[in-house]
Amino acid sequence: MSEPNPPGAKPVETSPKAAAPAPAKAPPEDASRKVAGKILSVLIVAAAVVLVLCVWGIIERHPRTDDATVRANVVGIVPRVRGQIVKLYVEDNQAVHEGDLLFEIDPDDYKLALEKANADLSSLDEQIEVARAQDAELKFAVKAAEAAVESGNAQVKQADDTLHRLQPLLPKGFATAEQVDQAATAKEIATSGLAADEQRLNQAKTSLSALETLTAQRPGAVAAVHLAQLELSYCEVRAPFPGRVIGLNISAGAYASAGIPVFSLLDTRHWYVMASFREGEIRHIAPGTEVELYLLSAPDQHFRGKVQGVGWAVEPEDEIDIPHDLPYVKRELNWVHIAQRFPVRIEVEDPDPNLFRMGASAVAIIKEEDSK
């Protein structure tokens, strides 16, 4: 039942079926927006592809790696003489300069050895002076002995000739047996005298050769003095180059053995980075190639370096050496092949000694290959 119209209200006309509204047409601006959106999407995708290709090209031409560590040469400080360490002048991690005194070995034994060598040399010099003073007299004695030997040879020859002349005359009666005996005796006396003269000549020459023998011994005595001085100087062990003391775990009173390191010294003059690059990247790396370096301990600073060389050999992990030098090949194939990495040595230019540490992590980026 319908409610009556309120007073003064116009009657509402009702129709059995309301008319459906006409469909609205899309304005031209919406269509242009859709087209622009599609074009923009295509441009964004194309730009992303181009960006990826550019990044890939940059990485391909300028490979980088974070598998890199800072290195420096480490030299063991080895004493050249043995003895007890009486003084230690450095501490662990201390920076030292070239020539700084590191530690001192007890020098008492080496001082005594030097004193003995000097005493031996002085004694030898005195013997040489005595022999030199007697040299003129000994030379005269040698001359006299030589003359006596020459005279003795003449007497022996004369006695021998006389005996040979008398012996054929004895059977004929032109010479007596007494004369022959006297000639034989004279020959024996002359021979004995000659032997005595030769003995005196040998003694004179031996006395004369003592000066030469002593003089020949002097270079060895001088070398012994220099060796003792050198060993005494080795008691003070000094830094061979500027660096930092590492691995110092001893105190004064420890015994140092010759040829055995006491601690090590880090050479801070030259730093380098050992970076591992994939085998497909090393074709872009050659000696002299410029490299940009970053330290993880100081990422806001970068350093420059140059490639010193690329490693030519690494130890294979999946190869087993068996007899007859036959290679071992596994009967399986991996779907994912991991590229081998080769070490690249990079010399650092102008390193900061306060930032570079042995074993620190680094990032290496190959910049430009050195043109040849």
Side-chain angles (χ1 to χ4, degrees):
M1 183 175 181
S2 61
E3 295 181 355
N5 293 329
K10 294 182 179 181
V12 178
E13 295 180 358
T14 61
S15 59
K17 186 177 181 180
K25 294 183 178 180
E29 294 80 2
D30 294 341
S32 61
R33 289 177 181 175
K34 290 181 178 180
V35 174
K38 293 180 179 179
I39 295 174
L40 182 61
S41 300
V42 172
L43 291 176
I44 291 175
V45 172
V49 172
V50 171
L51 180 60
V52 169
L53 292 176
C54 291
V55 172
W56 179 83
I58 293 174
I59 295 176
E60 184 70 15
R61 294 191 305 272
H62 305 286
R64 60 177 292 164
T65 181
D66 56 1
D67 186 9
T69 55
V70 177
R71 300 287 183 87
N73 295 328
V74 178
V75 176
I77 301 302
V78 180
R80 303 180 69 172
V81 294
R82 58 183 178 85
Q84 187 178 22
I85 298 176
V86 293
K87 292 182 181 179
L88 190 63
Y89 297 95
V90 293
E91 298 178 351
D92 196 22
N93 299 318
Q94 177 181 337
V96 295
H97 299 88
E98 183 178 358
D100 286 354
L101 188 59
L102 302 178
F103 60 90
E104 183 178 353
I105 296 175
D106 188 3
D108 291 342
D109 294 342
Y110 302 97
K111 288 181 179 179
L112 292 175
L114 178 59
E115 292 177 1
K116 182 181 182 301
N118 284 323
D120 293 341
L121 179 60
S122 299
S123 176
L124 183 60
D125 287 338
E126 291 178 0
Q127 296 177 26
I128 291 174
E129 290 300 324
V130 172
R132 186 175 288 113
Q134 297 175 349
D135 184 59
E137 182 180 353
L138 292 173
K139 286 181 179 180
F140 178 78
V142 169
K143 293 294 184 182
E146 289 177 349
V149 169
E150 186 177 356
S151 176
N153 284 325
Q155 291 177 5
V156 170
K157 185 177 184 303
Q158 182 181 7
D160 186 64
D161 292 342
T162 302
L163 179 61
H164 281 82
R165 285 196 304 269
L166 293 176
Q167 284 178 343
L169 298 176
L170 180 61
K172 298 178 181 180
F174 295 104
T176 62
E178 183 179 359
Q179 289 176 336
V180 174
D181 292 339
Q182 289 177 354
T185 302
K187 180 181 177 181
E188 292 178 0
I189 293 173
T191 302
S192 300
L194 177 60
D197 292 336
E198 290 178 345
Q199 183 66 25
R200 285 192 291 269
L201 177 60
N202 291 333
Q203 291 177 354
K205 287 183 176 180
T206 302
S207 300
L208 184 62
S209 64
L211 176 60
E212 297 178 356
T213 303
L214 294 174
T215 305
Q217 293 176 357
R218 194 175 190 281
V222 173
V225 172
H226 291 166
L227 179 60
Q229 291 174 345
L230 191 61
E231 289 181 343
L232 179 60
S233 67
Y234 289 156
C235 291
E236 292 184 350
V237 180
R238 299 182 178 273
F241 51 79
R244 284 190 178 272
V245 176
I246 57 176
L248 178 59
N249 298 314
I250 62 169
S251 302
Y255 189 85
S257 299
I260 299 179
V262 175
F263 54 84
S264 299
L265 192 63
L266 180 68
D267 188 356
T268 57
R269 296 173 299 176
H270 307 288
W271 292 91
Y272 59 94
V273 171
M274 293 300 296
S276 298
F277 286 90
R278 292 190 299 270
E279 53 190 337
E281 299 171 338
I282 60 177
R283 66 178 182 272
H284 301 291
I285 304 173
T289 303
E290 294 185 1
V291 185
E292 191 170 357
L293 301 171
Y294 294 89
L295 299 179
L296 295 188
S297 58
D300 55 337
Q301 300 188 31
H302 73 278
F303 302 90
R304 301 190 68 83
K306 285 189 176 181
V307 174
Q308 186 270 331
V310 181
W312 284 91
V314 294
E315 184 70 24
E317 295 182 356
D318 57 350
E319 184 172 315
I320 301 176
D321 291 333
I322 59 178
H324 308 295
D325 296 329
L326 298 178
Y328 171 75
V329 181
K330 296 187 297 184
R331 296 184 178 181
E332 61 181 15
L333 293 175
N334 296 325
W335 292 102
V336 179
H337 184 74
I338 300 176
Q340 180 66 55
R341 290 177 177 265
F342 286 87
V344 177
R345 180 184 176 116
I346 303 169
E347 301 288 343
V348 183
E349 299 177 355
D350 299 326
D352 189 344
N354 296 322
L355 295 179
F356 277 77
R357 296 173 181 269
M358 178 75 170
S361 299
V363 177
I365 304 174
I366 303 299
K367 300 300 292 181
E368 182 179 357
E369 185 175 352
D370 187 20
S371 60
K372 297 183 181 178

